[in-house]
Structures are given as structure tokens and as C-alpha cells.
Amino acid sequence: MSVLAVGVSHRSSPVALLERVALEGQARLKVMSEIAAAPSVNEALMVSTCNRTEVYADVDKFHPAVAAVTELLSWHTGVPLSELSQHAYVHYEERAVQHLFSVTCGLDSMVVGEGQILGQVRNAIKDAQQAGTLGRVLNDLGQRALRVGKRAHTDTHLDHAGADMVGFGLEVALRRLGAAAPQAAAPESLEHSAAET
């Protein structure tokens, strides 16, 4: 098994590029089919969300597979290859597996621990099955990643940390905006208003 991961995410790319690279529905199925049909590629799986587009592939040869994945992503998204390459990251073998586990656990999310990524990876696996690009290697890897992600969320309550951080950020923003913008209500005044009604 030689797993390759090629992608762009909120960590490597500006939001405008992420929006241009995101693929949905039939477009995603078509790209996965073409990647899986490329020389040196046996299987393909694509995770495409608002914060990342990543291709995982079981490959025979590293360099031809990286070239095939990046060229096909460039072609189908209209992002020039030079621009895509500037922001893309590549992981191979153990690093690719480790990266998928990290993504599925929510450790690579914009808000650490967010749980939506589990469903997004599950949907990516279903899409790859539908496209006929998922074989034994990526299916086993995907199922294992889902188990690791579920366990990480259950055993560590990681998803609560993300929610707490967002709540804290909103509280700080409300306090600062409350001082700068009179139309913004401070959290205390919101509680009093609710109590009065």
C-alpha cells in the first residue's frame, strides 16, 4: 500500500482559492474517476469541504501520481497549475495515513475538534464507492480513519473544546463590539431582556 494525499486547506491556501478548488456532486465523481484511471493510480478518494479539498490515492509511483492528481485538479477547477502547486501539500505513505487520521479527528480543522468532518469523510467514501474508485486499500483506510475519529471524539470530548473556543470568541467579540458599536448588545443586557419578556 502506497497512499498519497494531495490537497489544499485553510492552512495552506487563501479562502478565494479554496472556493475555486472545491468540487461537488457529479464534478467530484468525474474527477475521482479520471484520477483513478491515471497511470500509476489504482484508487482515489476526495474530501472536499469549505475548508479543504484533498485527494487520497493508492498509487504505484509517487511522481507520476502527484503530477496526475495536480494536473487533473487544475484542469477541472480552472486554477492554473502553478497557482495550485504553490498552495498544495503532498503527504506520502505513513504521513498520508497520519494526515487523514488527523483530519478525521478534527485536529486539522479550523475549529479544532469540530465533528462535521466525520460525516464529510463518510460521504467522501460513499462518493468514491459510487464513482467506482474505491478499492480495498482506501476503503480499509477510510473505515479505519472513521473509527479513529469517532474514538477521538468519544474518548477526549475534543468537539466540546472547539465549541467552547467559539463561544469564548463570540463573547470577547461582543464585549469589544459593544464598546465600539452602540447597536451591539452586551451579553448581560441580552440576558436581562430575555428575563423581562
Side-chain angles (χ1 to χ4, degrees), residues 25-39 41-46 55 72 76 127-134:
Q26 291 300 316
R28 182 170 27 197
L29 299 180
K30 183 175 171 77
V31 173
M32 280 191 293
S33 295
E34 290 185 21
I35 289 172
V41 179
N42 305 312
E43 304 174 30
L45 167 71
M46 181 182 289
V55 173
L72 285 165
H76 283 280
D127 287 347
Q129 289 169 337
Q130 182 182 345
T133 64
L134 194 70

Side-chain angles (χ1 to χ4, degrees), residues 3-196:
V3 178
L4 172 71
V6 178
V8 292
S9 76
H10 65 278
R11 294 185 185 275
S12 69
S13 307
V15 173
L17 179 66
L18 290 176
E19 290 172 351
R20 291 164 56 207
V21 176
L23 292 163
E24 297 179 6
Q26 291 300 316
R28 182 170 27 197
L29 299 180
K30 183 175 171 77
V31 173
M32 280 191 293
S33 295
E34 290 185 21
I35 289 172
S40 300
V41 179
N42 305 312
E43 304 174 30
L45 167 71
M46 181 182 289
V47 177
S48 189
T49 71
C50 58
N51 287 326
R52 75 183 63 252
T53 295
E54 296 177 337
V55 173
Y56 295 88
D58 173 40
V59 303
D60 295 326
K61 294 181 181 175
F62 175 78
H63 292 290
V66 171
V69 170
T70 53
E71 288 168 10
L72 285 165
L73 279 176
S74 171
W75 171 258
H76 283 280
T77 61
V79 176
L81 187 57
S82 59
E83 184 180 0
L84 183 63
S85 298
Q86 185 179 5
H87 297 283
Y89 45 84
V90 176
H91 301 298
Y92 191 55
E93 295 184 336
E94 289 178 8
R95 292 281 301 138
V97 172
Q98 184 181 41
H99 181 72
L100 178 59
F101 285 8
S102 179
V103 166
T104 308
C105 289
L107 296 174
D108 196 58
S109 297
M110 192 174 288
V111 175
V112 173
E114 65 91 9
Q116 286 184 338
I117 192 66
L118 279 170
Q120 292 164 335
V121 171
R122 188 178 297 107
N123 289 339
I125 292 169
K126 288 178 185 173
D127 287 347
Q129 289 169 337
Q130 182 182 345
T133 64
L134 194 70
R136 184 186 57 80
V137 171
L138 291 183
N139 185 59
D140 289 351
L141 176 60
Q143 296 304 325
R144 191 167 295 149
L146 289 174
R147 286 194 297 275
V148 167
K150 285 179 197 170
R151 185 163 181 190
H153 284 273
T154 302
D155 291 357
T156 66
H157 303 289
L158 194 57
D159 46 349
H160 297 301
D164 290 346
M165 185 172 295
V166 169
F168 177 73
L170 286 172
E171 186 179 317
V172 169
L174 277 174
R175 270 192 254 134
R176 293 213 175 157
L177 288 174
Q183 70 273 16
E188 296 82 18
S189 63
L190 289 174
E191 288 174 15
H192 292 299
S193 299
E196 291 168 4

